[in-house]
Amino acid sequence: MPGRSASPAVNRVLRTGTLLTAELDTRLRRSPAYAAENEALHALARTLNEPGTAMLQTLVDTALELCNAGSAGISLREHHDDQSGAFRWVAVSGRCAQLQGHLIPDDDSPAGVALELGSPQLFAFPKRQFDCLSVVGADVTEELVVPVPGTPGSFGALWVMSHDADHRFDSEHRRILASLANFTCAALTITQARAEAEVRAEEAEAARNALVAAEARKDDFITTLGHELRNPLGPIDSALAAAQKLAAGSPAVLSALAVANRQLQHLKRIVSDLLDASRVRHGKLSVRPAHGLLGDIVKDAVAAVAEGVEQRQHHLDVTLPPYPVTVFADAPRLTQVVSNLLWNAVKYTPPGGDIALLVDAPDPGTIPEGDSTPREAVITVHDNGDGIEPTLLPRVFDLFMQSPVARTRAEGGLGVGLSVVSYLVKAHQGQVAISSEGIGTGTEVTLRLPIVCRSTVEHAAPTTHGIAPARILLVDDSDDATEALATLLALDGHEVKRAQSGLEALLMVETFTPDFALIDIHMPGMDGHELVRLLRQRAQCALTKLVALSGDSGTMSGPEPVADGFDCYLIKPPSLEDLADVLRRSSDREGRVDGY
């Protein structure tokens, strides 16, 4: 029995004889209907996936039927902001069905008493002792209340009411109600867990969306930053080249310009890495394989790092097969891969160190005729430089991954080069692996590329900036973007005119017929598309090769002819290599030049 600490409600029902719980074990017990109970529990189990209120309503309907009661319901605990508590009739069946949602106090109600006593309780005429039941229209002769267990505290109570003096509850009803209360506990626990899981899933989804949005903003920023940095690099590059020619007789000036040029080339490599990383993220860095010679690809890559090798006095040993090896690959992209690996070796090998590049590939002449299966070329770059910590090896191809050693070097880069290398090697259906025994032990990178084929091609001509003299029109609303390039082209013997608007260009071609016109697409007023349409209408420009200039590399994703009358296009600002290639291939209207 409860002690002196019992609540007023418990003391009241004990004093008035309202509690008849002890009689449950002395009353005549009806025979258990296990078959009906089992069928009801199976039916309840099938409702576990339904919304919580629907499942609870089915449960009280079952309690009403199995206990042959007049009313049945579930009272669940609620806690309010003012710290007060209450029970809400979340599901009600029978004559009290219209009272669903009714609130009763937790400290002065049958459910509160049952929970305080911690066991099922039987109340006689409970309306006489509890004002909260005054809303029940019919008389209540008995109410059987069973706590619904929970963790850490009870969820509430399951109850049945009798409105008929001839129907009294017994221990069998208590057993049935206790069984249903346990089922209610399980169902509410599942519902609660599902709700918490849904909240966590929503939070995780929101976090994922926020991360995706942040990644997108970062990619957009990197792309914009790359283009914004790249725009002034072209004029600076051209101005440096022009200054070197103008200062041919001044060794001191040439020495200073050489320093500036080396740093500019380093900055261009960083910007190229930024743009390539952005293209990789958006799936726009594609490869367009063609037949070529592996030796030419390797020689171009070696030429790209020759200045760095000479400056650091490295010993570079290049070993090629004694026979020409024909490959089916994207030569510029594969050159980029090999030069990137060589440049890493140059950066992280101390002055006077050793770098070795070994190419192992089968002789295409030994491949049987009609056999189109690609053979494997293996390219290995080894150095005796700084090496890589073993813990970093699994992550060296991750974007923006850098070792502590790299961060201490002025030419350390951004940690995107190897990520681009990995992407391009996979695009060639190849594999790349990197190994090192640790700091100070050097590094070895191995490329395996299934690109060797039987087809034979001639050696490519050596790369040169030499361009046959031509009449060139530069059209750009930015004067700085064309001034240095115009000066450099003029020093090379070209006749160059500049226009800062479409209208100025139209007036200029009345007296100056260009062989080539390089036109910025995005100009205020008359844009490049409108200008090229009007130039095509002029007879004197019938043979002029019209080249589009755009800072948006994302729109240039394939080798198809350029729309709106352009013969080809260059990414803005154009490098000398890009321009030389366009002028040499002026008869090829299908070509695409993708400068880096």
Side-chain angles (χ1 to χ4, degrees), residues 294-307:
L294 184 57
D296 290 339
I297 293 172
V298 173
K299 290 174 185 176
D300 286 345
V302 171
V305 301
E307 185 177 356

Side-chain angles (χ1 to χ4, degrees), residues 57 96 112 125 142 341:
Q57 186 60 50
C96 291
F125 300 101
E142 286 188 350
L341 298 180

Side-chain angles (χ1 to χ4, degrees), residues 128 343 430:
R128 300 175 184 178
W343 182 244

Side-chain angles (χ1 to χ4, degrees), residues 43-97:
L44 282 172
R46 291 193 293 269
T47 68
L48 286 177
N49 289 327
E50 296 181 4
T53 54
M55 179 271 297
L56 293 178
Q57 186 60 50
T58 302
L59 196 144
V60 297
D61 290 342
T62 302
L64 184 78
E65 180 181 355
L66 292 179
C67 293
N68 195 24
S71 297
I74 293 178
S75 303
L76 294 186
R77 265 181 164 164
E78 290 187 356
H79 295 283
H80 300 154
D81 296 337
D82 61 0
Q83 304 303 315
S84 64
F87 291 103
R88 185 178 298 276
W89 289 3
V90 295
V92 187
S93 184
R95 299 179 67 175
C96 291

Side-chain angles (χ1 to χ4, degrees), residues 9-75:
V10 170
N11 289 327
R12 185 177 69 248
V13 296
L14 290 174
R15 186 176 65 251
T16 59
T18 302
L19 278 184
L20 302 179
T21 308
E23 293 186 13
L24 288 173
D25 295 319
T26 62
R27 289 178 179 178
L28 182 63
R29 178 182 180 183
R30 73 185 182 101
S31 299
Y34 292 122
E37 185 179 349
N38 186 59
E39 183 179 350
L41 289 175
H42 277 83
L44 282 172
R46 291 193 293 269
T47 68
L48 286 177
N49 289 327
E50 296 181 4
T53 54
M55 179 271 297
L56 293 178
Q57 186 60 50
T58 302
L59 196 144
V60 297
D61 290 342
T62 302
L64 184 78
E65 180 181 355
L66 292 179
C67 293
N68 195 24
S71 297
I74 293 178
S75 303

Side-chain angles (χ1 to χ4, degrees), residues 86 129 150 187 302 307 332 357 425 448 538 576:
Q129 299 298 328
V302 171
E307 185 177 356
L357 188 153
V425 169
R448 295 184 175 275
R538 284 162 167 71
L576 291 178

Side-chain angles (χ1 to χ4, degrees), residues 394-413:
R395 297 182 288 146
V396 292
F397 295 110
D398 292 348
L399 191 60
F400 302 120
M401 180 62 198
Q402 281 189 306
S403 68
V405 173
R407 299 190 188 99
T408 64
R409 295 182 176 271
E411 69 277 60

